[in-house]
Amino acid sequence: MGLTGLEIYKHLPKTNCKECGAPTCLAFAMALASGKASLDACPYVSEEAKAALDSAAAPPIKLVKLGAGEHQLELGDETELFRHDKRFFHPTGVAVLISDTEDAAAKASAFDELEFDRVGLHYVTDVVAVKCDSGDGAKFKAAVEAVAAKTAKAMILLCEDPALLEGALNAVADRKPLLYAATADNYEKMVELAKAKGCPLAVRGKNLDELAELVEKIVALGYKELVLDSGARDTSKVLADLTQIRRLAVRKRFRPFGYPTIAFATKEDPLEEVVQAGVYLSKYASIVVLKAAKKEQLLPLLTWRQNLFTDPQKPIAVEPKLYAVGEVNENSPVYCTTNFSLTYFIVEGEVENSRIPSYILSVDTGGISVLTAYADNKFTGEIIAKAMKDADLDSKVKHRKIVIPGYVAVLKGALEEASGWEVMVGPREASGIPKFAKENFA
Amino acid sequence: MAVEILKEKYRSKVGEVVLGATKEQGGTRSHTITVGGESALPFLHFEGAIPNRPVIALEIYDMVPEDWHPCLEKYYGDVYADPAAWAKKCVDEYGADLVQVRLRSADPDVKDSSPEDCAATVKKVLEAVGVPLIVIGCGKAEKDNLIYPVVAEAAAGENLLLGVAELENYKAITSACMAHQHNIIAQSPIDINICKQLNILIAEMSTAMAGRIVIDPTIAALGYGIEYTYSIMERARIGALQGDKMLAMPMIGNIGHEVWRTKEANTSTEEAPGWGEQEERAILWEATTAMAYLQAGMDILVMRHPRAAALIRKNIDELMQDNSY
Amino acid sequence: MIIIGERINGMFKDIAKAIRDKDSAVIQDWARKQEQNGARYLDINVGPGAADPVAAMKWLVEVTQEVTDLPLCLDSTKYDAIEAGLKICKRPAMINSVPAEAPKMERVFSMAAEYGAEVICLAMNEEGIPKDAESRVALAMELVATADAFGVPIDSLYIDPLVLPCNVAQDHGPEVLETLRQIKLISDPPPKTVVGLSNVSQGTKNRELINRTFAVMAMANGLDAAIADACDDELMAAVATARILLNMDIYCDSYIDVFKKG
């Protein structure tokens, strides 16, 4: 929402001059709040008031871009506190940390392999963060260059000495890395550098108060491509700070917190680190940085990110195709269902429980459930028969029997006619599948 | 500049449920465990009380599990055949706050054990450990309805958490819990409306039972629809804090059970080299699922792999640290 | 939306008689009945005929509090009576009411600040009730700004846009609804809103139908509370249903019972 009547009123001259046409400044403020008047009607309003009212129209959290080209990441521009209220828009960037004191080239060369395929989706680890632990400009620059040579993904450069940072940045400036971080001690130089190279800039305070203060100072210097870090590192405190930053930005339009955020997992044990990073990813971090870099460590985290950032309004579909559950052969039973992911996964789980290797034909219903699809004419005898043909079921199994969900028993005739197969009516709920399978296929 | 911290003012809080009973209270537990009582969203200590930390139950079967992944054998293999020893190991070696006994052998398609056999197993487990117990049936309603009264009576005074009540089948278990004063798990199929309605129906049978309900929203594992349950739990918890009494109960989830059915937990390293090493992947699949549900307000996490449980215990330790401003 | 039960009011003959006879059973019976049917506050009004309004208010508050934990809404134009009631209320009460008139606002808002009471603020002043929404909202704004200056939290204010009987002032209906919408734009958090629901049907036939229809329409425009007949089952069912349709409560099959039990 925009500014309230009371907030606008604070910026008005409070003279009740009536020149705007409203009887009082209070009434004029309300007219502005409800969009029925324009500020231009007030001849006495200050420039400051105008600026304050203009900025209220901006989105609650600024969209900040990290990186360049095809691996560019969009951060921020969120509007909700809970995904069920609408959705979360920009998935958290997951960054793997590489120190310039380790073999940066070796760790970076494995980085591009941190991509995964599961359930027809491709998950990507998006960001590589290079940290200057050596205190040696040449070493840091070499590490940054080595990493840049191994991966084209977005980068974060962590170095709080602007002089050292500049040396390394010069080598990769066109990649538009995130510069970490401006603090109370170095912010003027950091802002200068970020401005000169057009890079986003992380801002770290000692706490929320100092962070807000620092952001205002940086904005006053004319730079707004910012990413926030409250400085907290204990899991519970980070959770609280990330929650406050998001809430104040979204609910109160608190301008200093209207930027994306970055959080750092700190645990030494990589498994603990993943769990800690998961907390920050769940609760509002725009980027999480962690050292863990093994496939088995990142796959769960990226899966959670994918799940959390789905649109709750939109049904999630699995790829419509023939799935094999277990060691299938030409005698295996065939079930069919829709490609609504939740339906499919429940059916798959129960077919697994039946311990009889089977095929599941997931029919393209645009990702909606059995009954909805049936009502919508997206799950009909003809459509299922076509899916059977497309999946080449004839050559997969010798028998000619297919199981349909009990809720759409009425489709039996139409499907038998369209496919020429014998149609078996399965249980109404997926939980009945093991019993059904035992009675019919064991 | 001083930032004005934004604290939600909630009207209400989650009810507390006490599990187990000590000798003085008519049971034989060494201590009780209280869950629920939150007056803020998960771990936001700065705006309300989180009086009881979420707890971890490890799950055992009343028989040798036929389908558990081989990687679990090194932890439980020696005790699979002895539920009492298994429970003891969960508590003594793996630090479980609670033990959940799943009466799998009672399934008519498995061993069809009698209600009396089930009760005997529960008694043995009660003797072996001092922690409060969760007991759930085999999942076949007809059979479970025969089991509940017998187990409830055998464990009278122990203040079990007994499950599960469902919309289509809640009367027998509710009666059993009423008669012998146990707590009840009310399970709804990823549906907040049914969740609320079931709580009302149980409360209508007995107002005393209303304060003994633990909600099982039916959880999905990471990657298998977790976001549906996550959002339902968030909505239920917000509803509870805003004054919806029929959602103001602690929540439980069978995390181990769901996670260990997934491909990601079970597929070997060789079969899926792109997914990394199997056991660590499975541990993190379980821990990440648990981590997410903690953030949505889960109070009792029923887990399987001891290392996943240990990770989550540590996570809870950290999240329980005060973060007031 | 919550219901402030209107029944303990000396305008009703049984209540007036009970006050005269000090017959607490009648009052307590109405307190219980309204609570059981879903009222969240109870309005307490000694009525125009009370000989000693201060004493009558004290007595009503005392006997009501003996049987209910609901917060009370002290309804009087005599602020001494309200203050007497506030002193003995066991939990923060609501003051009903104050118009946008400087001396009255001063008295009521300082009282509210002292006792931590909520306040029903009437969108009217010495000149009466304005016809259009803009003027009503301007008065609301004045009330809010004044309350704020006295240190009364804005979200403890209930602005009453003032509903008039639909058979004499039909044209006020849409203005009241528009006022309800705009009041939410005054501040963040915004003040709450309340109406005296039965006013809308004063002197008409189909009173209950008009009441509940208007209640639902007003809820759709953001109404937070209504002083109304909590024992009107159809009204309570309509309110419970509107709460579901507005996504204010989570649906379940027994939602009407749940609403009444709170």
Side-chain angles (χ1 to χ4, degrees), chain A residues 83 116-118 209 213 216 235-237 240-241 244 247-248 251 267 271-272 278 283 295-297 303 307 316 340 348 352-353 355 438, chain B residues 1 3-6 8 46-47 104 109 223-224 226-228 231 234-235 261 263-264 274-277 280 285 291 314 318 321 323 325:
Chain A
R83 63 183 291 282
F116 308 91
D117 289 299
R118 69 173 289 278
D209 292 349
E213 199 175 302
E216 292 208 314
T235 315
S236 177
K237 192 67 186 157
D241 284 355
Q244 282 299 329
R247 269 192 197 172
L248 285 163
R251 300 261 309 280
K267 299 282 157 191
L271 276 70
E272 287 178 33
K283 293 294 173 179
K295 289 177 176 171
E296 61 271 22
Q297 295 159 357
T303 304
N307 293 167
I316 309 152
F340 174 39
E348 189 193 65
E352 256 169 40
N353 277 352
R355 289 163 220 275
K438 193 181 172 196
Chain B
M1 78 188 274
V3 172
E4 203 175 313
I5 297 300
L6 181 50
E8 294 290 347
F46 62 78
E47 67 186 1
R104 174 148 178 79
D109 296 332
Y224 291 82
I226 187 173
E227 66 274 22
Y228 293 88
S231 285
E234 280 198 318
R235 286 176 63 203
R261 287 158 36 130
K263 271 200 197 86
E264 288 76 5
W275 286 356
E277 197 269 326
E280 197 156 296
W285 211 261
M291 172 282 298
K314 236 177 163 169
E318 286 161 17
Q321 285 170 19
N323 54 24
Y325 290 94

Coordinates of all heavy atoms in Angstrom, one line a residue, chain A residues 83 116-118 209 213 216 235-237 240-241 244 247-248 251 267 271-272 278 283 295-297 303 307 316 340 348 352-353 355 438, chain B residues 1 3-6 8 46-47 104 109 223-224 226-228 231 234-235 261 263-264 274-277 280 285 291 314 318 321 323 325:
Chain A
R83 N 4.6 -17.6 1.5 CA 4.4 -18.0 0.1 C 2.9 -18.2 -0.2 O 2.5 -18.0 -1.3 CB 5.2 -19.2 -0.3 CG 4.9 -20.5 0.5 CD 5.8 -21.6 0.0 NE 5.6 -22.1 -1.3 CZ 4.7 -22.9 -1.7 NH1 3.8 -23.3 -0.8 NH2 4.6 -23.3 -2.9
F116 N 21.9 -30.3 -11.3 CA 21.3 -31.5 -11.0 C 20.0 -31.6 -11.9 O 19.3 -30.7 -12.1 CB 20.9 -31.7 -9.6 CG 22.0 -31.4 -8.6 CD1 22.3 -30.1 -8.1 CD2 22.8 -32.5 -8.2 CE1 23.3 -29.9 -7.2 CE2 23.9 -32.3 -7.4 CZ 24.1 -31.0 -6.9
D117 N 19.7 -32.9 -12.3 CA 18.5 -33.2 -12.9 C 17.7 -34.1 -12.0 O 18.1 -35.1 -11.6 CB 18.7 -33.9 -14.3 CG 19.3 -32.9 -15.3 OD1 18.6 -31.9 -15.6 OD2 20.4 -33.1 -15.7
R118 N 16.4 -33.6 -11.7 CA 15.5 -34.5 -11.0 C 14.1 -34.1 -11.4 O 13.8 -32.9 -11.6 CB 15.7 -34.6 -9.5 CG 15.4 -33.3 -8.7 CD 15.5 -33.6 -7.2 NE 14.4 -34.5 -6.7 CZ 13.2 -34.0 -6.4 NH1 12.9 -32.8 -6.5 NH2 12.3 -34.9 -6.0
D209 N 20.4 -1.6 13.5 CA 20.5 -0.1 13.6 C 21.6 0.4 12.7 O 21.4 1.4 11.9 CB 20.7 0.3 15.0 CG 19.5 0.0 15.9 OD1 18.4 -0.4 15.3 OD2 19.6 0.1 17.1
E213 N 21.5 2.8 9.2 CA 22.2 4.0 9.1 C 23.2 4.0 7.9 O 23.2 5.0 7.2 CB 23.0 4.1 10.4 CG 23.5 5.5 10.8 CD 24.1 5.5 12.2 OE1 23.5 5.0 13.1 OE2 25.3 5.8 12.2
E216 N 21.4 4.4 4.6 CA 21.0 5.8 4.3 C 22.2 6.6 3.9 O 22.1 7.4 3.0 CB 20.4 6.4 5.6 CG 19.0 5.7 5.9 CD 18.1 6.6 6.6 OE1 18.5 7.3 7.5 OE2 16.9 6.6 6.2
T235 N 22.6 -18.6 14.2 CA 21.5 -19.0 13.4 C 20.2 -18.3 13.8 O 19.5 -17.7 13.0 CB 21.2 -20.5 13.5 OG1 22.5 -21.2 13.4 CG2 20.3 -21.0 12.5
S236 N 20.0 -18.3 15.1 CA 18.7 -17.7 15.6 C 18.7 -16.2 15.4 O 17.6 -15.6 15.0 CB 18.6 -18.0 17.1 OG 17.5 -17.4 17.7
K237 N 19.8 -15.5 15.6 CA 19.8 -14.1 15.4 C 19.7 -13.7 13.9 O 19.0 -12.7 13.5 CB 21.2 -13.6 15.9 CG 21.2 -12.1 16.1 CD 20.3 -11.5 17.1 CE 20.2 -10.0 17.1 NZ 19.0 -9.5 17.7
A240 N 16.1 -13.9 13.0 CA 15.3 -12.8 13.5 C 15.6 -11.6 12.6 O 14.7 -10.9 12.2 CB 15.7 -12.5 14.9
D241 N 16.9 -11.3 12.3 CA 17.2 -10.1 11.5 C 16.6 -10.2 10.1 O 16.1 -9.2 9.6 CB 18.7 -10.0 11.4 CG 19.3 -9.4 12.7 OD1 18.5 -9.1 13.6 OD2 20.6 -9.3 12.8
Q244 N 13.0 -9.5 10.3 CA 12.7 -8.0 10.5 C 13.0 -7.2 9.2 O 12.2 -6.3 8.9 CB 13.6 -7.5 11.7 CG 13.1 -7.8 13.0 CD 11.7 -7.3 13.4 OE1 11.4 -6.2 12.9 NE2 11.0 -8.0 14.1
R247 N 10.0 -8.0 6.9 CA 8.8 -7.4 7.4 C 8.8 -5.9 7.3 O 7.8 -5.3 6.9 CB 8.7 -7.7 8.9 CG 7.9 -9.0 9.2 CD 7.6 -9.0 10.7 NE 7.3 -10.3 11.1 CZ 7.2 -10.6 12.4 NH1 7.4 -9.7 13.3 NH2 6.8 -11.8 12.8
L248 N 9.9 -5.2 7.8 CA 9.9 -3.8 7.8 C 9.8 -3.2 6.3 O 9.2 -2.2 6.1 CB 11.1 -3.3 8.5 CG 11.0 -3.4 10.0 CD1 12.3 -3.3 10.7 CD2 10.0 -2.3 10.6
R251 N 6.0 -4.5 5.0 CA 4.8 -4.1 5.8 C 4.9 -2.6 6.1 O 3.9 -1.9 6.2 CB 4.7 -4.9 7.1 CG 4.5 -6.4 6.8 CD 3.0 -6.8 6.9 NE 2.5 -6.3 8.1 CZ 2.6 -6.9 9.3 NH1 3.2 -8.0 9.3 NH2 2.1 -6.3 10.4
K267 N 28.9 -22.9 9.8 CA 29.3 -24.2 10.5 C 30.5 -24.8 9.7 O 30.6 -24.7 8.5 CB 28.1 -25.2 10.4 CG 26.9 -24.7 11.1 CD 27.0 -24.8 12.6 CE 26.2 -23.9 13.3 NZ 26.5 -23.8 14.7
L271 N 27.5 -30.8 6.7 CA 26.1 -31.1 6.8 C 25.3 -30.1 7.7 O 24.2 -29.7 7.4 CB 25.9 -32.6 7.4 CG 26.1 -33.7 6.3 CD1 27.5 -33.8 5.8 CD2 25.6 -35.0 6.9
E272 N 26.0 -29.7 8.7 CA 25.4 -28.7 9.6 C 25.2 -27.4 8.8 O 24.3 -26.6 9.0 CB 26.3 -28.4 10.8 CG 26.2 -29.5 11.8 CD 27.1 -29.3 13.0 OE1 27.3 -28.1 13.4 OE2 27.7 -30.2 13.6
G278 N 19.8 -23.8 5.0 CA 18.3 -24.1 4.7 C 17.4 -23.1 5.5 O 16.4 -22.7 4.9
K283 N 13.7 -18.5 5.2 CA 13.3 -17.3 5.8 C 14.1 -16.1 5.2 O 14.8 -15.4 5.9 CB 13.3 -17.3 7.3 CG 12.3 -18.3 7.9 CD 10.9 -17.8 7.6 CE 9.9 -18.9 8.1 NZ 8.5 -18.5 7.9
K295 N 28.0 -32.7 -4.2 CA 26.7 -32.9 -4.9 C 25.7 -33.3 -3.9 O 24.6 -32.7 -3.8 CB 26.8 -33.9 -6.0 CG 27.6 -33.4 -7.2 CD 27.7 -34.5 -8.2 CE 28.4 -34.0 -9.4 NZ 28.8 -35.1 -10.3
E296 N 26.0 -34.3 -3.0 CA 25.0 -34.8 -2.1 C 24.6 -33.7 -1.0 O 23.6 -33.8 -0.4 CB 25.5 -36.0 -1.4 CG 26.7 -35.9 -0.5 CD 28.0 -36.2 -1.4 OE1 28.0 -36.0 -2.6 OE2 29.1 -36.5 -0.8
Q297 N 25.5 -32.7 -0.9 CA 25.2 -31.6 0.1 C 24.3 -30.5 -0.6 O 23.5 -29.9 0.1 CB 26.5 -31.0 0.6 CG 27.3 -32.0 1.4 CD 28.8 -31.7 1.5 OE1 29.2 -30.7 0.9 NE2 29.5 -32.5 2.2
T303 N 16.9 -28.4 -4.0 CA 15.5 -29.0 -4.1 C 14.6 -28.2 -3.2 O 13.5 -27.8 -3.6 CB 15.5 -30.5 -3.7 OG1 16.5 -31.2 -4.5 CG2 14.2 -31.1 -3.9
N307 N 11.3 -26.1 -4.4 CA 10.0 -26.3 -3.8 C 9.4 -25.0 -3.2 O 8.2 -24.7 -3.4 CB 10.0 -27.4 -2.7 CG 10.4 -28.8 -3.2 OD1 10.7 -29.6 -2.4 ND2 10.4 -29.0 -4.5
I316 N 1.7 -27.9 -10.0 CA 3.1 -28.3 -10.5 C 2.9 -29.6 -11.2 O 2.3 -30.5 -10.7 CB 4.1 -28.4 -9.3 CG1 4.0 -27.1 -8.5 CG2 5.5 -28.6 -9.9 CD1 4.4 -27.4 -7.1
F340 N -0.5 -34.0 -12.5 CA -0.4 -33.1 -11.3 C 0.6 -33.7 -10.4 O 0.5 -34.9 -10.0 CB -1.8 -33.0 -10.7 CG -1.8 -32.3 -9.4 CD1 -1.0 -31.1 -9.2 CD2 -2.6 -32.7 -8.3 CE1 -1.1 -30.4 -8.0 CE2 -2.6 -32.0 -7.1 CZ -1.9 -30.9 -6.9
E348 N 2.8 -42.8 -7.2 CA 4.1 -43.5 -7.3 C 4.5 -44.1 -6.0 O 4.9 -45.3 -6.0 CB 5.1 -42.5 -7.7 CG 6.5 -43.1 -8.1 CD 7.6 -42.1 -8.2 OE1 7.9 -41.5 -7.2 OE2 8.1 -41.9 -9.3
E352 N 5.0 -48.1 -5.4 CA 6.2 -48.6 -4.8 C 5.9 -49.5 -3.6 O 6.5 -50.6 -3.4 CB 7.1 -47.4 -4.3 CG 8.3 -47.2 -5.3 CD 9.0 -45.9 -5.0 OE1 9.2 -45.6 -3.8 OE2 9.4 -45.2 -5.9
N353 N 5.0 -49.0 -2.7 CA 4.6 -49.8 -1.6 C 4.0 -51.1 -1.9 O 4.1 -52.1 -1.1 CB 3.5 -49.0 -0.8 CG 4.1 -48.0 0.1 OD1 5.3 -48.0 0.3 ND2 3.3 -47.2 0.7
R355 N 5.1 -53.1 -3.9 CA 6.2 -54.0 -4.2 C 6.1 -54.8 -5.4 O 6.6 -55.9 -5.6 CB 6.4 -54.9 -3.0 CG 7.0 -54.2 -1.8 CD 6.8 -55.0 -0.6 NE 6.4 -54.2 0.6 CZ 7.3 -53.5 1.3 NH1 8.6 -53.7 1.1 NH2 6.9 -52.8 2.3
K438 N -2.1 -56.4 -4.8 CA -2.0 -57.7 -4.2 C -3.1 -58.6 -4.7 O -2.8 -59.8 -5.1 CB -2.1 -57.6 -2.7 CG -1.6 -58.8 -2.0 CD -1.7 -58.6 -0.5 CE -1.5 -60.0 0.2 NZ -2.0 -59.9 1.6
Chain B
M1 N 20.9 5.0 13.5 CA 19.5 5.2 13.7 C 18.9 4.0 14.4 O 19.2 2.9 14.1 CB 18.9 5.6 12.4 CG 18.5 4.4 11.5 SD 18.0 4.9 9.9 CE 16.2 5.2 10.1
V3 N 16.2 1.3 14.7 CA 15.2 0.7 13.8 C 14.0 0.3 14.8 O 14.3 -0.3 15.8 CB 15.8 -0.5 13.1 CG1 14.6 -1.3 12.4 CG2 16.8 -0.1 12.1
E4 N 12.8 0.6 14.3 CA 11.7 0.2 15.2 C 11.3 -1.2 14.8 O 10.7 -1.5 13.8 CB 10.5 1.2 14.9 CG 9.5 1.3 16.0 CD 8.5 2.3 15.8 OE1 8.8 3.5 15.4 OE2 7.3 2.0 15.9
I5 N 11.6 -2.1 15.7 CA 11.4 -3.5 15.5 C 9.9 -3.8 15.4 O 9.1 -3.3 16.2 CB 12.0 -4.3 16.7 CG1 13.5 -4.2 16.7 CG2 11.6 -5.8 16.6 CD1 14.2 -4.6 15.4
L6 N 9.6 -4.6 14.4 CA 8.1 -4.9 14.1 C 7.7 -6.2 14.8 O 8.2 -7.2 14.4 CB 7.9 -4.9 12.6 CG 6.5 -5.1 12.1 CD1 5.5 -4.2 12.8 CD2 6.4 -4.9 10.6
E8 N 4.7 -8.7 15.9 CA 3.2 -9.0 15.7 C 2.6 -9.2 17.0 O 3.1 -9.7 18.0 CB 3.1 -10.4 15.0 CG 3.6 -10.4 13.6 CD 2.8 -9.6 12.6 OE1 1.6 -9.2 13.0 OE2 3.2 -9.3 11.5
F46 N 11.7 -13.0 19.7 CA 11.6 -11.5 20.0 C 10.2 -11.0 20.1 O 9.9 -9.9 20.6 CB 12.4 -10.7 18.9 CG 11.8 -10.9 17.5 CD1 10.7 -10.2 17.1 CD2 12.5 -11.7 16.6 CE1 10.2 -10.4 15.8 CE2 12.0 -11.9 15.3 CZ 10.9 -11.2 14.9
E47 N 9.2 -11.9 19.7 CA 7.8 -11.3 19.8 C 6.9 -12.2 20.6 O 5.7 -12.0 20.6 CB 7.3 -11.0 18.4 CG 7.0 -12.2 17.6 CD 6.6 -11.8 16.2 OE1 6.5 -10.6 15.9 OE2 6.4 -12.7 15.3
R104 N 3.7 -52.2 12.8 CA 3.6 -52.6 11.4 C 3.2 -54.1 11.3 O 2.5 -54.5 10.4 CB 4.9 -52.4 10.7 CG 5.0 -53.0 9.4 CD 5.9 -52.2 8.4 NE 5.9 -52.9 7.1 CZ 4.9 -52.8 6.2 NH1 3.9 -52.1 6.4 NH2 5.0 -53.5 5.1
D109 N -1.8 -57.8 6.0 CA -1.0 -58.2 4.8 C 0.4 -58.5 5.2 O 1.2 -58.8 4.4 CB -1.1 -57.2 3.7 CG -2.5 -57.0 3.2 OD1 -3.2 -58.0 3.2 OD2 -2.8 -55.9 2.7
G223 N 10.9 -32.4 -2.0 CA 10.9 -32.8 -3.4 C 9.6 -33.5 -3.8 O 9.4 -33.9 -5.0
Y224 N 8.8 -33.8 -2.9 CA 7.6 -34.6 -3.2 C 6.3 -33.9 -2.7 O 5.4 -34.5 -2.1 CB 7.7 -36.0 -2.6 CG 8.8 -36.8 -3.3 CD1 10.1 -36.7 -3.0 CD2 8.4 -37.7 -4.4 CE1 11.1 -37.3 -3.7 CE2 9.4 -38.3 -5.1 CZ 10.8 -38.2 -4.7 OH 11.7 -38.8 -5.4
I226 N 6.5 -31.2 -0.5 CA 6.8 -30.6 0.8 C 6.1 -29.2 0.9 O 5.6 -28.8 2.0 CB 8.3 -30.5 1.1 CG1 8.6 -30.1 2.6 CG2 9.0 -29.6 0.1 CD1 10.0 -30.2 2.9
E227 N 6.1 -28.5 -0.2 CA 5.6 -27.1 -0.1 C 4.2 -27.0 0.2 O 3.7 -26.0 0.8 CB 6.0 -26.3 -1.4 CG 5.3 -26.8 -2.6 CD 6.0 -27.9 -3.3 OE1 6.8 -28.6 -2.7 OE2 5.8 -28.1 -4.5
Y228 N 3.4 -28.0 -0.1 CA 2.0 -28.0 0.2 C 1.8 -28.1 1.7 O 1.1 -27.3 2.3 CB 1.3 -29.2 -0.5 CG 1.2 -29.1 -2.0 CD1 2.2 -29.7 -2.7 CD2 0.1 -28.5 -2.6 CE1 2.2 -29.6 -4.1 CE2 0.1 -28.5 -4.0 CZ 1.1 -29.0 -4.7 OH 1.1 -29.0 -6.1
S231 N 3.0 -24.9 3.6 CA 2.1 -23.8 3.6 C 0.9 -24.1 4.5 O 0.4 -23.2 5.1 CB 1.7 -23.5 2.2 OG 2.8 -22.8 1.5
E234 N 2.0 -23.5 8.0 CA 2.2 -22.0 8.2 C 0.8 -21.4 8.4 O 0.6 -20.6 9.4 CB 2.9 -21.3 7.1 CG 4.4 -21.5 7.1 CD 5.1 -20.5 6.2 OE1 4.6 -20.2 5.1 OE2 6.2 -19.9 6.7
R235 N -0.1 -21.7 7.6 CA -1.5 -21.2 7.7 C -2.1 -21.6 9.0 O -2.8 -20.8 9.7 CB -2.4 -21.6 6.5 CG -2.0 -20.9 5.2 CD -2.8 -21.4 4.1 NE -4.3 -21.2 4.3 CZ -5.2 -21.9 3.7 NH1 -4.9 -22.9 2.9 NH2 -6.5 -21.6 3.9
R261 N 11.2 -43.2 1.7 CA 10.5 -43.8 0.5 C 10.9 -43.1 -0.8 O 10.5 -43.5 -1.8 CB 9.0 -43.5 0.6 CG 8.3 -44.3 1.7 CD 7.0 -43.8 2.2 NE 6.2 -43.1 1.2 CZ 4.9 -43.3 1.0 NH1 4.3 -44.3 1.7 NH2 4.2 -42.6 0.2
K263 N 13.2 -41.6 -3.9 CA 14.4 -42.0 -4.8 C 15.7 -41.5 -4.2 O 16.7 -42.1 -4.2 CB 14.1 -41.5 -6.2 CG 13.3 -42.3 -7.1 CD 13.6 -41.9 -8.5 CE 12.5 -42.4 -9.4 NZ 11.4 -41.5 -9.5
E264 N 15.6 -40.2 -3.8 CA 16.9 -39.5 -3.5 C 17.5 -40.1 -2.3 O 18.7 -40.1 -2.1 CB 16.6 -38.0 -3.2 CG 16.3 -37.2 -4.5 CD 14.9 -37.5 -5.1 OE1 14.1 -38.2 -4.4 OE2 14.6 -37.0 -6.1
G274 N 25.3 -38.4 -10.5 CA 25.1 -37.0 -10.5 C 24.5 -36.4 -9.2 O 24.5 -35.2 -9.0
W275 N 24.1 -37.3 -8.4 CA 23.4 -36.9 -7.1 C 24.4 -37.0 -5.9 O 23.9 -36.8 -4.8 CB 22.2 -37.7 -6.8 CG 21.0 -37.3 -7.7 CD1 20.9 -36.3 -8.6 CD2 19.7 -38.0 -7.7 NE1 19.7 -36.3 -9.2 CE2 18.9 -37.3 -8.7 CE3 19.2 -39.1 -7.0 CZ2 17.6 -37.7 -9.0 CZ3 17.9 -39.4 -7.3 CH2 17.1 -38.7 -8.3
G276 N 25.6 -37.5 -6.1 CA 26.5 -37.6 -5.0 C 26.3 -38.9 -4.2 O 25.5 -39.8 -4.6
E277 N 27.0 -38.9 -3.0 CA 27.0 -40.1 -2.2 C 25.7 -40.4 -1.5 O 25.1 -39.5 -1.0 CB 28.2 -40.0 -1.2 CG 28.6 -41.3 -0.6 CD 27.9 -41.6 0.7 OE1 27.5 -40.7 1.4 OE2 27.6 -42.8 0.9
E280 N 25.0 -39.9 2.7 CA 25.0 -38.5 3.1 C 23.9 -37.7 2.5 O 23.3 -36.9 3.1 CB 26.4 -37.8 2.8 CG 26.6 -36.6 3.5 CD 28.1 -36.2 3.6 OE1 28.8 -36.9 4.3 OE2 28.5 -35.2 3.0
W285 N 18.7 -35.3 3.0 CA 17.3 -35.2 2.5 C 16.4 -35.2 3.7 O 15.4 -34.5 3.8 CB 17.0 -36.4 1.6 CG 16.0 -36.1 0.6 CD1 14.7 -36.4 0.6 CD2 16.3 -35.4 -0.7 NE1 14.1 -35.9 -0.6 CE2 15.0 -35.3 -1.3 CE3 17.4 -34.8 -1.2 CZ2 14.9 -34.6 -2.6 CZ3 17.3 -34.2 -2.5 CH2 16.0 -34.1 -3.1
M291 N 14.3 -29.6 8.8 CA 14.6 -28.2 8.9 C 13.4 -27.3 8.4 O 13.0 -26.4 9.1 CB 15.9 -27.9 8.1 CG 16.3 -26.4 8.0 SD 15.4 -25.5 6.8 CE 15.8 -26.3 5.3
K314 N 20.9 -30.3 16.8 CA 21.8 -29.1 16.9 C 21.1 -27.9 16.4 O 21.3 -26.8 16.9 CB 23.0 -29.4 16.1 CG 24.3 -29.3 16.9 CD 25.5 -29.7 16.1 CE 26.7 -29.1 16.9 NZ 28.0 -29.6 16.5
E318 N 20.3 -24.3 18.4 CA 20.7 -23.0 18.0 C 19.5 -22.1 17.8 O 19.5 -20.9 18.2 CB 21.4 -23.0 16.6 CG 22.8 -23.6 16.8 CD 23.4 -24.1 15.5 OE1 22.9 -23.8 14.4 OE2 24.4 -24.8 15.6
Q321 N 18.0 -20.4 20.9 CA 18.7 -19.3 21.5 C 17.9 -18.0 21.4 O 17.4 -17.7 20.3 CB 20.1 -19.1 21.0 CG 21.0 -20.2 21.5 CD 22.3 -20.1 20.7 OE1 22.7 -19.1 20.1 NE2 23.1 -21.2 20.8
N323 N 16.5 -14.5 20.6 CA 16.9 -13.5 19.6 C 16.2 -12.2 19.8 O 15.9 -11.5 18.9 CB 16.8 -14.0 18.2 CG 15.4 -14.6 17.9 OD1 14.4 -14.2 18.6 ND2 15.2 -15.4 16.9
Y325 N 15.3 -8.4 20.7 CA 16.1 -7.1 20.5 C 16.2 -6.3 21.7 O 15.3 -6.4 22.6 CB 15.4 -6.3 19.3 CG 15.6 -7.0 18.0 CD1 14.6 -7.9 17.6 CD2 16.7 -6.9 17.3 CE1 14.7 -8.6 16.4 CE2 16.9 -7.5 16.1 CZ 15.9 -8.4 15.6 OH 16.1 -9.1 14.4

